[in-house]
Amino acid sequence: MTETVMRFTGLRSRHLQDAAMGSVGLCLVLWMRASGLDQDERGNAERRAIFVGLWAPTLLLLGQSLRELE
């Protein structure tokens, strides 16, 4: 069902793969930026980077399911 809706909206597997790689890049940028903060703010910034990094596997799996439909 989800794959059908994504395909109907024009999403393709390549779009989701690119978004996954972008998520990894954004995670690294957020993590490097967190190292320049003081100790109180660093914890929040690192958790934000980890949260964004967890998007990549989800996006890759969604892309894989779309590739099977293509």
Side-chain angles (χ1 to χ4, degrees), residues 3-66:
E3 297 90 1
T4 308
V5 171
M6 287 189 300
R7 187 174 169 102
F8 179 73
T9 60
L11 277 176
R12 298 292 180 248
S13 63
R14 184 67 189 159
H15 298 144
L16 291 169
Q17 290 172 355
D18 291 342
M21 292 301 109
S23 155
V24 170
L26 180 60
C27 171
L28 290 172
V29 168
L30 290 173
W31 180 70
M32 287 187 296
R33 188 174 155 208
S35 66
L37 298 175
D38 64 347
Q39 191 63 34
D40 294 334
E41 297 174 0
R42 185 176 296 155
N44 252 354
E46 287 177 349
R47 282 189 291 276
R48 189 175 304 119
I50 291 170
F51 175 70
V52 171
L54 290 174
W55 296 348
T58 304
L59 292 169
L60 285 173
L61 287 173
L62 286 171
Q64 179 65 31
S65 63
L66 272 179

